[in-house]
Amino acid sequence: MKNNEITWGLKRSASLLAAGLLLALSANAAKAESVLRVGMTVSDIPDWSGQPDQGYEGARFVGWSLYDSLINWDLSRSDIEARMAPGLATEWAVDPQNDKRWIFKLRQGVKFHDSCEWNAKSALWNIERLTVQTVPQFNPVQYARQRSRTGNLDRAEVVDDYTLAIYSKTPDALFPYNFYNWFMISPCAGEAAKYDYSEFAKHPVGTGPYKFDKVNPRERLELVKNAEYWDKKRIPRHDRLVLLPMPESTTRTAALLSGQADFIEAPAPDMIDRLKESGAQIYTNEYPHVWVYAFNTRKGPFSNVKVRQAANYAINREEMVEMLNGLAVAAGSTYSEKSPFFGGAKPYDYQPEKAKALLREANCSPCEIRIAMSNSGSGMMQPLSMNELVKEQLEQVGFKVTLSVVDWNSIMSISQKGWEANPDYDAVNGANPIIDPVSAIFRRYTTASNAPQGLNWGWYNNAKVDELAKQAQQTFDVGKQTEIISEMHRLTTEDPPLLFVVRDLNPRALGPNVKGFVQAQSWFQDLTPITVE
Amino acid sequence: MIGYIIKRMLYIIPVCLGVTAVCFALMYLAPGDPAQALLPPDATPEDAAYLLRLYGFDQPVWVQYGRWVLRAASGDLGVSLQSQRPVFREVMSALGNTAVLSAGAVLLAFVLAFILGTVAAYNIGSRIDQASTTLSITGVSVPNYWLGIVLVIVFAVELGWLPAAGMGSAGSDSFSLTDWAQLRYAILPIITMSVLPLGIIMRSVRASVAEALGQESIQLLRAKGLPPYAILTHAVKNAFPQILAVMGLQFGFLVGGSILVETIFNWPGTGFLLGKAILTRDVPLLQGTILVLSISFVIINLVVDVLQSIFDPRVRRT
């Protein structure tokens, strides 16, 4: 009896000890997990099942975390504009025998998070997922999102296990720019989900530096470190990434200040000083962005180049920067002087007398214009106050401005349909991502891109620019191609299709416990080097 | 009573049809279209047409509306254009989250308004009355989004007593009213949302109780020497059905959510969902949300009417 009691007592003690040890271990494990919580500006979690929605913010946080593209970005430096870098393709070049055939050499030894092999077959599966309407993996919504990158894509074919050929419809030396945001998902997972993307979204699988863990729609997406990521330099230095949609800037700022977030996008400008006081780190950097107005060059005052130039000389950009608390830099042209495509352009500066003289020469006094603007939107910064200031500055030189405020969806509709469908407007306010020459110049300033076929809202037409565009597309030597694009930039600054105002400095605030972030000059950012103490 | 309830339930059908038809029409009158929000800015008209055809938006508006009504009648509210998630699940989860705030806000507002309004009515013209009236006017006048920001700055940022945003560390899935760690996330939004109904209900309580106190029956009770608390009880009982109606109406409004308050507190409720649906022209999501909210509003009013008739049999007779 006594022995039994002793045995029972020993067993009990042992189990208690074991339980205690387990608890202690699990507590330590939980304590050891480092978590990076990011407050995004979007109002919902960007689609995490392949091609994200919600613009470049979706790609920035969801796309580049879960997935890779054939071509990635080198986001490791803050001192130069980010460049394209090998991703799931290690090299790419046009076929010397066929200028419509591009050969992509694929990275070997890469596996998706579900151990599915990355090879030419899976690359082809992904290309067709967004281009071929008859294949089972075709995703119509994501196809639509990717349309601006697939217009000139003819077809793709497997050459061997690790080589893929992609054909363009017409010779296009700028073709690779279409592949940097083309996220590769696991064909095995897609097939297991029976090509039902809502099913795939329950456990999305890519090759990216983070793996999916769980999601609470509209509230949070939780990803965990992919310790086997193929790019060893980019294995996350924290264990978990939590993405939180927080559309209101005051809320994001309060979340950081109260310790509910570690990293926030675009803090409230009037709370920057308070953030600094609390020890938060404010990061700013230039990136390929320009806040502009697209001129209606076919009807109304802006059909005269002198009026377009006058508007550009009328803007006191320094005053705008001051109003924005220093969170922007002046922009007098599409590209800044730091860009390889800047060339010999002469950016506009503030010359009110010259603006007045140009308006007199154009015989436009008072020069009545009507501008469409939105009250919010992607890359729009502080549109209400900024438009008010632009109106005031334009009126000081002789313009008479009427601002028409509409919501973001409406401004997108106006922009897409072009001036012809909206002849009452002389200009439309917008923010241009000048991430590559295709989106910065070719889709905005060429006749072939006249809206609604492209982004040239005001049907800007310059025969020299059109000719250079053709030359650039057929020039496969990158150096010569850069020279041609630089010349296009010079011409489109001299004869401006847009009113250039400022470039956003893309402020971000990080808690005092967050280290290692390098703010790249890009719409995308690398979160993997961040440590959370 | 059962016949009355059935009759009122049947009213839901024309109310929902009317509200959703107006919403449908307004979405098409507004510039922009559902395909716009799904496409990149430089998508061609052919791409837009493809998407419109895919979702049936190329059909005449009345055909689209008719199809939507038929599907909704069979319980299928469709799929959100933006998130590709089922609308019913989206709306019900948001409704549950907003119900936490609206029930809390109405309860808080009712308790405070009832106490302060009754005291004010009993002491008309006194300083207590003046203070209560000032509070009521303030409640009605203060913009709740401003108050929300101030509360966040004071209690979350400066004092660190309460969280600034969201529904807790694991979100709405694990939200529990019995767990203080979760409940504390609801306190600031509940206070913010309660201020407007507090002002309205307090005014109503004050007026109703004051009116009841002036009735001849109450004068008779005074003449018979009843103590003040007993007189007040009679007056409040007389005023209660009217107060209940105002309270029910306020609860109905709050269930619709507050776009601004829910945005400030990052609370994933119906207001937040509606705002997103409107801005992205997500027609199925907007229609589904409006339908569920309309049904909720009618049911809440029905419950209030039934309660009123229980407290005041005269209502039943009329």
Coordinates of all heavy atoms in Angstrom, one line a residue, chain A residues 432-480:
Chain A
N432 N 1.4 59.1 -60.9 CA 2.0 58.1 -61.9 C 3.1 57.3 -61.3 O 4.1 57.8 -60.8 CB 2.6 58.9 -63.1 CG 1.5 59.5 -64.0 OD1 0.3 59.3 -63.7 ND2 1.9 60.2 -65.0
P433 N 2.9 56.0 -61.3 CA 4.0 55.1 -60.9 C 5.0 55.0 -62.1 O 4.6 54.5 -63.1 CB 3.4 53.8 -60.6 CG 2.0 53.8 -61.2 CD 1.7 55.2 -61.7
I434 N 6.1 55.6 -61.9 CA 7.1 55.6 -63.1 C 8.1 54.5 -62.8 O 9.3 54.7 -62.9 CB 7.7 57.0 -63.3 CG1 8.2 57.5 -61.9 CG2 6.7 57.9 -63.9 CD1 9.0 58.8 -62.1
I435 N 7.6 53.3 -62.5 CA 8.4 52.2 -62.1 C 9.3 51.7 -63.1 O 10.4 51.1 -62.9 CB 7.4 51.2 -61.5 CG1 8.1 50.1 -60.7 CG2 6.6 50.5 -62.6 CD1 7.2 49.4 -59.8
D436 N 8.9 51.8 -64.4 CA 9.7 51.4 -65.5 C 9.4 52.2 -66.7 O 8.3 52.9 -66.7 CB 9.5 49.9 -65.8 CG 8.0 49.6 -66.2 OD1 7.6 50.1 -67.2 OD2 7.4 48.8 -65.5
P437 N 10.2 52.3 -67.7 CA 9.9 53.2 -68.8 C 8.6 52.9 -69.6 O 8.0 53.8 -70.1 CB 11.1 53.0 -69.8 CG 11.9 51.9 -69.3 CD 11.5 51.6 -67.9
V438 N 8.2 51.7 -69.5 CA 6.9 51.3 -70.2 C 5.8 52.1 -69.5 O 5.0 52.8 -70.1 CB 6.7 49.8 -70.2 CG1 5.4 49.5 -70.9 CG2 7.8 49.1 -70.8
S439 N 5.7 51.9 -68.2 CA 4.6 52.6 -67.5 C 4.8 54.1 -67.4 O 3.8 54.9 -67.3 CB 4.3 52.0 -66.1 OG 5.5 51.8 -65.4
A440 N 6.1 54.5 -67.4 CA 6.3 56.0 -67.2 C 6.1 56.8 -68.5 O 5.6 57.9 -68.5 CB 7.8 56.2 -66.7
I441 N 6.6 56.2 -69.6 CA 6.6 57.0 -70.9 C 5.7 56.4 -71.9 O 4.8 57.0 -72.5 CB 8.1 57.1 -71.4 CG1 8.9 57.7 -70.3 CG2 8.1 57.8 -72.7 CD1 9.7 58.9 -70.6
F442 N 6.0 55.1 -72.2 CA 5.4 54.5 -73.4 C 3.8 54.4 -73.3 O 3.1 54.7 -74.3 CB 5.9 53.1 -73.7 CG 7.3 53.1 -74.1 CD1 8.4 53.4 -73.3 CD2 7.6 52.9 -75.5 CE1 9.7 53.5 -73.7 CE2 8.9 52.9 -75.9 CZ 10.0 53.2 -75.1
R443 N 3.3 54.1 -72.1 CA 1.9 54.0 -72.0 C 1.2 55.3 -71.7 O 0.0 55.3 -71.5 CB 1.6 53.0 -70.8 CG 1.9 51.6 -71.1 CD 1.1 50.6 -70.3 NE 1.5 49.3 -70.6 CZ 2.2 48.5 -69.8 NH1 2.5 49.0 -68.6 NH2 2.5 47.3 -70.1
R444 N 2.0 56.4 -71.6 CA 1.3 57.6 -71.3 C 1.5 58.7 -72.4 O 0.7 59.6 -72.5 CB 1.9 58.2 -70.0 CG 1.5 57.3 -68.8 CD 2.0 57.9 -67.5 NE 1.9 56.8 -66.5 CZ 0.8 56.5 -65.8 NH1 -0.3 57.3 -66.0 NH2 0.8 55.5 -64.9
Y445 N 2.6 58.6 -73.1 CA 3.0 59.7 -74.0 C 2.9 59.4 -75.5 O 3.4 60.2 -76.3 CB 4.4 60.3 -73.6 CG 4.6 60.7 -72.2 CD1 5.8 60.8 -71.6 CD2 3.5 61.1 -71.4 CE1 6.0 61.2 -70.3 CE2 3.7 61.5 -70.1 CZ 4.9 61.5 -69.5 OH 5.1 61.9 -68.2
T446 N 2.6 58.2 -75.8 CA 2.6 57.8 -77.2 C 1.2 57.8 -77.8 O 0.2 57.5 -77.1 CB 3.2 56.5 -77.4 OG1 2.5 55.5 -76.7 CG2 4.7 56.4 -77.0
T447 N 1.1 58.0 -79.1 CA -0.2 58.1 -79.7 C -0.9 56.7 -79.7 O -2.1 56.6 -79.5 CB -0.1 58.5 -81.2 OG1 0.7 59.7 -81.2 CG2 -1.4 58.7 -81.9
A448 N -0.1 55.6 -79.7 CA -0.6 54.2 -79.6 C -1.3 54.0 -78.3 O -2.1 53.1 -78.2 CB 0.5 53.2 -79.8
S449 N -1.0 54.8 -77.3 CA -1.6 54.6 -76.0 C -2.7 55.6 -75.7 O -3.1 55.8 -74.5 CB -0.5 54.8 -74.9 OG 0.4 53.8 -75.0
N450 N -3.2 56.2 -76.7 CA -4.4 57.2 -76.5 C -5.5 56.4 -75.8 O -5.9 55.3 -76.2 CB -4.9 57.7 -77.8 CG -4.1 58.8 -78.4 OD1 -3.1 59.2 -77.8 ND2 -4.4 59.3 -79.6
A451 N -6.0 57.0 -74.7 CA -7.1 56.4 -74.0 C -8.3 56.3 -74.9 O -8.5 57.1 -75.8 CB -7.5 57.3 -72.8
P452 N -9.1 55.2 -74.9 CA -9.1 54.2 -73.8 C -8.2 53.0 -74.0 O -8.3 52.1 -73.3 CB -10.6 53.8 -73.8 CG -11.1 53.9 -75.2 CD -10.3 55.1 -75.8
Q453 N -7.4 53.1 -75.1 CA -6.5 51.9 -75.3 C -5.3 52.0 -74.4 O -4.6 50.9 -74.2 CB -6.0 51.9 -76.8 CG -7.1 51.7 -77.8 CD -7.8 50.4 -77.6 OE1 -7.2 49.4 -77.2 NE2 -9.1 50.3 -78.0
G454 N -5.0 53.1 -73.8 CA -3.8 53.2 -73.0 C -4.0 54.3 -71.9 O -5.1 54.8 -71.7
L455 N -2.9 54.8 -71.4 CA -3.0 55.8 -70.3 C -2.8 57.2 -70.8 O -2.8 58.1 -69.9 CB -1.9 55.5 -69.2 CG -2.1 54.2 -68.5 CD1 -0.8 53.9 -67.6 CD2 -3.3 54.3 -67.5
N456 N -2.7 57.4 -72.1 CA -2.6 58.8 -72.6 C -4.0 59.5 -72.6 O -4.6 59.6 -73.6 CB -2.0 58.7 -74.0 CG -1.6 60.0 -74.6 OD1 -1.9 61.1 -74.0 ND2 -1.0 60.0 -75.7
W457 N -4.3 60.0 -71.4 CA -5.7 60.5 -71.2 C -6.0 61.7 -72.2 O -7.1 61.7 -72.8 CB -5.9 61.0 -69.8 CG -7.2 61.6 -69.5 CD1 -8.4 60.9 -69.3 CD2 -7.6 63.0 -69.6 NE1 -9.4 61.7 -69.2 CE2 -9.0 63.0 -69.4 CE3 -6.9 64.2 -69.8 CZ2 -9.7 64.2 -69.3 CZ3 -7.6 65.4 -69.7 CH2 -9.0 65.4 -69.5
G458 N -5.1 62.6 -72.3 CA -5.3 63.8 -73.0 C -4.9 63.7 -74.5 O -4.8 64.7 -75.2
W459 N -4.6 62.5 -75.0 CA -4.2 62.3 -76.4 C -3.0 63.2 -76.8 O -3.0 63.8 -77.8 CB -5.4 62.4 -77.3 CG -6.4 61.3 -77.2 CD1 -6.5 60.5 -76.2 CD2 -7.4 61.0 -78.2 NE1 -7.6 59.6 -76.4 CE2 -8.1 59.9 -77.7 CE3 -7.8 61.5 -79.4 CZ2 -9.2 59.3 -78.3 CZ3 -8.8 61.0 -80.1 CH2 -9.6 59.9 -79.5
Y460 N -2.0 63.2 -75.9 CA -0.8 63.9 -76.3 C -0.2 63.3 -77.5 O -0.1 62.1 -77.6 CB 0.1 63.8 -75.1 CG 1.5 64.3 -75.3 CD1 1.8 65.7 -75.3 CD2 2.6 63.5 -75.6 CE1 3.1 66.2 -75.5 CE2 3.9 63.9 -75.8 CZ 4.1 65.3 -75.8 OH 5.4 65.7 -76.0
N461 N 0.2 64.1 -78.4 CA 0.7 63.5 -79.7 C 1.9 64.3 -80.1 O 1.9 65.5 -80.2 CB -0.4 63.6 -80.8 CG 0.2 63.1 -82.1 OD1 0.1 63.8 -83.1 ND2 0.7 61.9 -82.1
N462 N 3.0 63.5 -80.2 CA 4.3 64.1 -80.6 C 5.0 63.1 -81.5 O 5.3 62.0 -81.1 CB 5.2 64.4 -79.3 CG 6.4 65.1 -79.6 OD1 7.1 64.8 -80.7 ND2 6.9 66.0 -78.7
A463 N 5.0 63.5 -82.8 CA 5.5 62.5 -83.8 C 6.9 62.0 -83.5 O 7.2 60.8 -83.7 CB 5.5 63.2 -85.2
K464 N 7.8 62.9 -83.0 CA 9.1 62.5 -82.7 C 9.1 61.5 -81.5 O 9.9 60.5 -81.6 CB 9.9 63.7 -82.2 CG 10.4 64.6 -83.3 CD 11.3 65.7 -82.8 CE 11.4 66.9 -83.7 NZ 11.9 68.1 -83.1
V465 N 8.3 61.7 -80.6 CA 8.2 60.8 -79.4 C 7.7 59.4 -79.9 O 8.2 58.3 -79.5 CB 7.3 61.3 -78.3 CG1 7.0 60.3 -77.2 CG2 7.9 62.6 -77.7
D466 N 6.7 59.4 -80.8 CA 6.2 58.2 -81.3 C 7.3 57.4 -82.1 O 7.4 56.2 -82.0 CB 5.0 58.4 -82.3 CG 3.7 58.8 -81.5 OD1 3.7 58.6 -80.3 OD2 2.8 59.3 -82.1
E467 N 8.0 58.1 -82.9 CA 9.1 57.5 -83.7 C 10.2 56.9 -82.7 O 10.6 55.8 -83.0 CB 9.7 58.6 -84.6 CG 10.8 58.1 -85.5 CD 10.5 56.8 -86.3 OE1 9.3 56.7 -86.7 OE2 11.4 55.9 -86.4
L468 N 10.5 57.7 -81.7 CA 11.5 57.2 -80.8 C 11.0 55.9 -80.0 O 11.8 55.0 -79.7 CB 11.9 58.3 -79.8 CG 12.8 59.4 -80.3 CD1 12.9 60.5 -79.3 CD2 14.2 58.9 -80.7
A469 N 9.7 55.9 -79.7 CA 9.1 54.8 -79.0 C 9.3 53.5 -79.9 O 9.7 52.4 -79.4 CB 7.7 55.0 -78.7
K470 N 9.0 53.7 -81.2 CA 9.2 52.5 -82.1 C 10.7 52.0 -82.1 O 11.0 50.9 -82.0 CB 8.8 52.9 -83.5 CG 7.3 52.7 -83.8 CD 7.0 53.0 -85.2 CE 5.6 53.4 -85.3 NZ 5.3 54.2 -86.5
Q471 N 11.6 53.0 -82.1 CA 13.0 52.7 -82.1 C 13.4 52.0 -80.9 O 14.1 50.9 -80.9 CB 13.8 54.0 -82.2 CG 14.0 54.5 -83.6 CD 14.9 55.7 -83.6 OE1 15.8 55.8 -82.8 NE2 14.6 56.7 -84.4
A472 N 12.9 52.5 -79.7 CA 13.3 51.9 -78.4 C 12.8 50.4 -78.4 O 13.5 49.5 -77.8 CB 12.7 52.7 -77.3
Q473 N 11.6 50.2 -78.9 CA 11.1 48.8 -78.8 C 11.8 47.9 -79.7 O 11.8 46.7 -79.4 CB 9.6 48.9 -79.2 CG 8.7 49.3 -78.0 CD 7.3 49.4 -78.3 OE1 6.9 50.0 -79.3 NE2 6.4 48.9 -77.4
Q474 N 12.5 48.4 -80.7 CA 13.3 47.5 -81.5 C 14.8 47.6 -81.2 O 15.6 47.0 -82.0 CB 13.0 47.9 -83.0 CG 11.6 47.5 -83.4 CD 11.2 48.1 -84.6 OE1 11.9 48.8 -85.3 NE2 9.9 48.0 -84.9
T475 N 15.2 48.2 -80.2 CA 16.6 48.3 -79.8 C 16.9 47.4 -78.6 O 16.5 47.8 -77.5 CB 17.0 49.8 -79.5 OG1 16.6 50.6 -80.6 CG2 18.4 50.0 -79.2
F476 N 17.5 46.3 -78.9 CA 17.7 45.4 -77.8 C 19.0 45.6 -77.0 O 19.2 45.0 -76.0 CB 17.8 43.9 -78.4 CG 16.4 43.5 -78.9 CD1 15.9 43.9 -80.2 CD2 15.5 42.9 -78.0 CE1 14.7 43.5 -80.6 CE2 14.2 42.5 -78.5 CZ 13.8 42.8 -79.8
D477 N 19.8 46.6 -77.5 CA 21.0 47.0 -76.7 C 20.5 47.9 -75.6 O 20.0 49.0 -75.9 CB 22.0 47.7 -77.7 CG 23.2 48.1 -77.0 OD1 23.1 48.8 -75.9 OD2 24.3 47.8 -77.5
V478 N 20.7 47.5 -74.4 CA 20.2 48.3 -73.3 C 20.7 49.7 -73.2 O 20.0 50.7 -72.9 CB 20.4 47.6 -71.9 CG1 19.9 48.4 -70.7 CG2 19.7 46.2 -71.9
G479 N 22.0 49.9 -73.5 CA 22.6 51.2 -73.4 C 22.0 52.1 -74.5 O 21.6 53.3 -74.1
K480 N 21.9 51.6 -75.7 CA 21.3 52.5 -76.7 C 19.8 52.7 -76.4 O 19.3 53.8 -76.7 CB 21.4 51.8 -78.1 CG 22.8 51.9 -78.6 CD 22.9 51.2 -80.0 CE 24.4 51.1 -80.4 NZ 24.6 50.2 -81.5

